[in-house]
Structures are given as structure tokens and as C-alpha cells.
Amino acid sequence: MWSPQDRKYNNPPTQLSLKPGSQSLRSGNWSERKSHRLPRLPKRHSHDDMLLLAQLSLPSSPSSLNEDSLSTTSELLSSRRARRIPKLVQRINSIYNAKRGKKRLKKLSMSSIETASLRDENSESESDSDDRFKAHTQRLVHIQSMLKRAPSYRTLELELLEWQERELFEYFVVVSLKKKPSRNTYLPEVSYQFPKLDRPTKQMREAEERLKAIPQFCFPDAKDWLPVSEYSSETFSFMLTGEDGSRRFGYCRRLLPSGKGPRLPEVYCVISRLGCFGLFSKVLDEVERRRGISAALVYPFMRSLMESPFPAPGKTIKVKTFLPGAGNEVLELRRPMDSRLEHVDFECLFTCLSVRQLIRIFASLLLERRVIFVADKLSTLSSCSHAVVALLYPFSWQHTFIPVLPASMIDIVCCPTPFLVGLLSSSLPKLKELPVEEALMVNLGSDRFIRQMDDEDTLLPRKLQAALEQALERKNELISQDSDSDSDDECNTLNGLVSEVFIRFFVETVGHYSLFLTQSEKGERAFQREAFRKSVASKSIRRFLEVFMESQMFAGFIQDRELRKCRAKGLFEQRVEQYLEELPDTEQSGMNKFLRGLGNKMKFLHKKN
């Protein structure tokens, strides 16, 4: 758990400390230092590259920092980082470049980290109306006041790292509909659970409380059901968020039991700490196959599954099972290297929403506002909710997230803290009667807002918003263009394109974050908050960052990077690295500026002594 007062980057920027090896610079010959000229490195290097450079045995005297050693080091760093950018990504980048113009970052160097707070922000020529400034100030005050009321959650990424070595799932339940006495309506109840909760521990009592809520999520539309003779199985998911911010995923398969005549469906639900929709969908396929033969065949399979470890990214586990008539079988469950999109269907978003409406919803979620989806089907709510959250990558939604909210729990929408929830259309009349605070209500069936705050078009930097809109409007054209490599095939899908478009938005706004992660002599990382924001050349992006940096998703993102012992990995980090390499050569090289600044410090120390 972390709280706002624990955020290290709230502290004022600290001066970069000198490594023990660099202390010997003081004892070097002054005339040698004075005559020494630092050669220029051809490319900009990130903060992590600078840390790597420090590990490559830099000489203890500036005079020995010759051209050959620096060029060799530069080549080593460049070759370590080199990779080909897929053509689709290049096309997306060109759209952003055309809309954004030449403005990117101010000087990115050690001196900018130390002096950014002294620069005059108002020196920009970019126009800025009084109305826009007032709206920005109100927005900043609003998000700060809202987050004071919101609980502080640990990031989902840290939670996954903690739990991935434990069991594959926590428990498995079957939920059935039971008829109410003296009424022609039904209530969902747990008819089977595994494992049984036998021990009266605190953890077991908490698990029992969760189990009481699960039936409502499996049948949020229980009051609308009557026995049927035919029903196509349906897959959906939900998420339970505890008071401490812990999250559990529910993976559900609703199906009609085998039999004759009208009957009621039942839901098979796996509860896990781990977000891996594709893997659990395969598990539910096997559950449905066995249930079609006999319910008794489901439970031994789930018992074998619980004894299996959760696979690491890119790894496969094998679950041995026995099926009468088929004998011994082995079910292979593979976890993809990048599972962030495996449960996402962006097609559903574009079926329900126009591009402009989607960007407005995205902007509202970035500023951690309250958002309510309304739709006729469970699958629509589930798919659209998970898809819109996936747009936030590399950030994670830190607040209440209920893709399908049971009608009996609709009062949750009166909560004063941020949330993203989905409601079936049958609950809409009740929703309109409730005293809901400011929220964005979206009807997914008609592509319109039931309620809004009227500033959704002004939340994002306007040039980047225009790039987002143009790239998404041209999605079919961009995908259909020729590709000449296998790596492009991974991107040339709707999911790949949409993900890259939004990743580029974050690269343009926060892609320089690693340059402002400083490391102390003890190896502790700290984020230089104000220097990071003020290094951006565009005033509209700086204004956006001033608000966005108050969000819990940004806090969690930076905390992850501060606590990591090694460099973060993933698609976003790859694109950031490529972005830093794109920066114009007319700007002073970051590494060259770093070394020159280091030399100036040594001169100052010599004069002082």
C-alpha cells in the first residue's frame, strides 16, 4: 500500500550525486582538465543508458575520456538499442509529427533537471485564452479534491508480480438460479464451490464475503430470467475491488445444462488474482465440454488445475486430466509474452462508438472521472469496459471497475470517488432517479451521452487530440497498406493499430520520463517531477500534464519505475526508446551535455578548494 504522502517524487528536485569513481576527478591535474575538450556523441541517450555507461568502467580522470572510448561506448549503447520500427508504426508516427509540428522537448540534460524550476513558463508564444486557463485551474482543483476522498491503491502491476508465483486461481464456483418462494422470480445462489472454506480464519471470512457478492455478478439480470429450451453459451468477466485496493477477476461461462424441456442456465465462474482472459477462456472451454457429458467430470479437472502453477509470460503449463472414453489427456495453457490485449476486442468499441465519442471517454478516464456505460447485453458491457481500460496502457485504472454492475448494487454510482461501471439498459430508469454526482453516462446502443460535463473536448492537448482522431478515422486505410515484414503482421490488426495509436499519444506526453529518474549512491531512484513537466516545449501539453500528474494512475506508473531494480520492459518502453532517438540532432546531445555539465562541476569544485 502507498499513500499520497509516500510519493517520493513530491519532493523538490535533488542534485545528482557523484559516483565514488568520479570523486577522483578532484585530484586530477588541473591543466589537463582545462585543456581537455569533451567530444560530442552523435545520439541522445536515456537515463538508463547513462546508468549503463557508469557500469562500463569509465576512467577516473577527464583527460582519459578520449574520443575512441566515448565512440566505442556510444556504439555499444546504440547497438544495444537498435531495432526496426514496423511500417504501420511509422505511418502512425508521421500523423503525429504532422499535427504536432516541431515543438517537442526543451534541453534534456543534467542542467535542465537542476534548473527547470527557474525557467519562465510564460515565455511561450503559444496563444492561451483566459477561459482556457480558468477551466484548467478548475480541473486541477477538482481532481485534487476528488483524489483526497479516494482510497490509495497499490498498482495492479505490483500486485501481479506478488501473486504470479502462487496458485492459478483462488476458487471455482457454480451459480444457479433458484425460484423465490411465493413469487415467479429467481435468485442466483452458489450451488457448488471449490475449495470449501473450512477454516475460520480472517482470510476465510473475507473470502465468504466475496462469495456472497459473486452470484449477483454472474446473474446481474436474474429478475429477467424464465426457463428456456435453447440458449447459446456466453462468456464474460467482472472484477472485484477490495477496500484495500486488491483486485480479483471473475471469468464466467453462462450455459444451458443438458436436458429436455425448458430449463434455467447456470454460470461456471473462476475467481483469480490474475488478469489473463485468453488462458481462462480455454479453461472454461474444457469446463463446458466436460459439463456436456456430466457435471461430475468438471470438479476433478478443476482440482488438477488448482495444483498447477501460474505460467510466467511466454511459458506453458501442462495439466494432466482423465476423461472417460478418451483416457488420459494433457491440456496445455500458455501465457503470452504480452497479455495486455488478449482479452480485448476493440472492434466492439468502434461498433458502439464513433471516434470522437471514444476520444472523449478516453480523456475522461485519463483524468479519473466517473464513467457509466449502459447497454442491452452483458457481452457488450464486458467487452467495451475492458477495451476502453486497455487504451490507458502503459497506465492502469486504479479505481472501482465493474464492467457489469448488478441492479441490486446500483447505489454504487452515487459514490463520490472515481469509477468505471457498466449497467444493463433495464437499470436505466432507476439510474436517472439517483442523485449521481458529476459523471459521464454513455449509451453504447445509440452512441450518445446521456449525461456529460461539457468539457470533454478540451481535456487533451488539441494537436495530439487531432492526431488521435485522424489516425483512428484512417484505421482501415492504415491497416490495409502493404507490409513487408513478419513484425508488421503483429501490428497490422485492428487491436495492434489502436494500441499503437494510443501508445504514441503517451509517448508524446510522457515518453521522456526516464530522463528525469535520478539515482542516488544507494541505488534508490527518484522522479524529478517539476523538471519533467517543464521540459516539455508545448504549453498545452504542460497544462495537461499538470492535471494528469495528480492522478493515481500516473502515481502508480512512476512508483513502479522508482521501485524496479532493472529497467522496465514492454512495448511502451520500446516505443519510448525509439522516440528519444528521433529527437532532432539540432538539440544538444543528452549524454554530451551530461558529461560537459560534469566537467563544469569539477571546475567549480577546484576553484572552491
Side-chain angles (χ1 to χ4, degrees), residues 223-287:
K223 63 183 179 62
D224 301 326
W225 272 99
L226 291 174
V228 295
S229 300
E230 294 182 0
Y231 178 73
S232 298
S233 62
E234 189 174 11
T235 304
F236 59 97
S237 63
F238 59 85
M239 183 186 293
L240 301 174
T241 305
E243 292 182 359
D244 61 348
S246 61
R247 295 179 174 184
R248 288 168 176 81
F249 299 87
Y251 303 98
C252 302
R253 179 69 56 86
R254 184 189 282 183
L255 52 86
L256 201 62
S258 55
K260 296 181 179 180
R263 53 202 184 277
L264 292 165
E266 56 190 12
V267 173
Y268 289 77
C269 179
V270 181
I271 304 296
S272 174
R273 291 256 190 172
L274 302 150
C276 206
F277 192 88
L279 185 149
F280 285 105
S281 291
K282 193 171 183 180
V283 169
L284 291 172
D285 288 342
E286 182 66 18
V287 167

Side-chain angles (χ1 to χ4, degrees), residues 498-536:
V498 174
S499 176
E500 291 283 1
V501 168
F502 283 91
I503 284 175
R504 184 64 188 192
F505 172 86
F506 288 118
V507 167
E508 294 278 353
T509 51
V510 303
H512 57 298
Y513 80 90
S514 63
L515 300 172
F516 296 89
L517 279 172
T518 60
Q519 187 165 332
S520 68
E521 292 182 359
K522 295 181 180 179
E524 296 177 348
R525 289 186 172 190
F527 181 59
Q528 307 304 314
R529 181 184 176 91
E530 280 305 299
F532 160 80
R533 184 179 67 84
K534 292 183 178 181
S535 68
V536 178

Side-chain angles (χ1 to χ4, degrees), residues 360-455:
R360 290 168 176 166
I361 295 168
F362 168 72
S364 297
L365 290 176
L366 272 189
L367 300 195
E368 297 187 334
R369 294 182 171 183
R370 292 177 283 270
V371 178
I372 302 171
F373 284 164
V374 180
D376 294 329
K377 296 181 179 180
L378 285 173
S379 55
T380 301
L381 286 176
S382 180
S383 297
C384 288
S385 298
H386 284 289
V388 79
V389 166
L391 299 179
L392 301 175
Y393 171 82
F395 300 92
S396 300
W397 180 254
Q398 300 287 319
H399 303 280
T400 301
F401 176 49
I402 309 176
V404 183
L405 181 66
S408 58
M409 303 172 68
I410 194 173
D411 288 346
I412 284 178
V413 300
C414 298
C415 176
T417 55
F419 58 72
L420 171 59
V421 301
L423 279 172
L424 288 169
S425 299
S426 56
S427 300
L428 188 54
K430 176 66 174 175
L431 174 65
K432 292 180 177 179
E433 295 174 1
L434 293 173
V436 182
E437 291 192 24
E438 293 179 333
L440 179 64
M441 298 183 186
V442 185
N443 189 327
L444 296 175
S446 61
D447 185 28
R448 66 181 184 86
F449 291 162
I450 302 169
R451 184 187 297 180
Q452 62 190 93
M453 295 174 65
D454 297 324
D455 66 345

Side-chain angles (χ1 to χ4, degrees), residues 172-174 253 255 266-270 280-295 297-299 301-302 305 331:
F172 168 72
V173 298
V174 181
R253 179 69 56 86
L255 52 86
E266 56 190 12
V267 173
Y268 289 77
C269 179
V270 181
F280 285 105
S281 291
K282 193 171 183 180
V283 169
L284 291 172
D285 288 342
E286 182 66 18
V287 167
E288 185 171 1
R289 182 169 78 102
R290 289 168 173 267
R291 180 63 183 87
I293 303 172
S294 170
L297 298 176
V298 174
Y299 312 130
F301 167 68
M302 296 306 296
L305 194 66
L331 177 67

Side-chain angles (χ1 to χ4, degrees), residues 535-593:
S535 68
V536 178
S538 166
K539 181 178 287 187
S540 63
I541 295 180
R542 288 202 307 274
R543 286 267 172 89
F544 165 76
L545 286 176
E546 187 174 11
V547 180
F548 179 57
M549 288 167 65
E550 295 293 329
S551 68
Q552 285 193 8
M553 71 175 79
F554 184 84
F557 173 85
I558 292 299
Q559 187 190 46
D560 283 344
R561 271 65 183 173
E562 286 180 327
L563 297 178
R564 281 180 181 272
K565 294 181 180 179
C566 58
R567 183 177 181 176
K569 297 178 181 179
L571 183 59
F572 176 71
E573 307 300 333
Q574 292 178 26
R575 299 294 179 248
V576 161
E577 212 168 336
Q578 294 159 0
Y579 168 76
L580 294 178
E581 284 294 297
E582 290 174 4
L583 294 178
D585 291 334
T586 53
E587 293 186 31
Q588 210 163 18
S589 167
M591 176 61 79
N592 186 57
K593 185 70 175 178

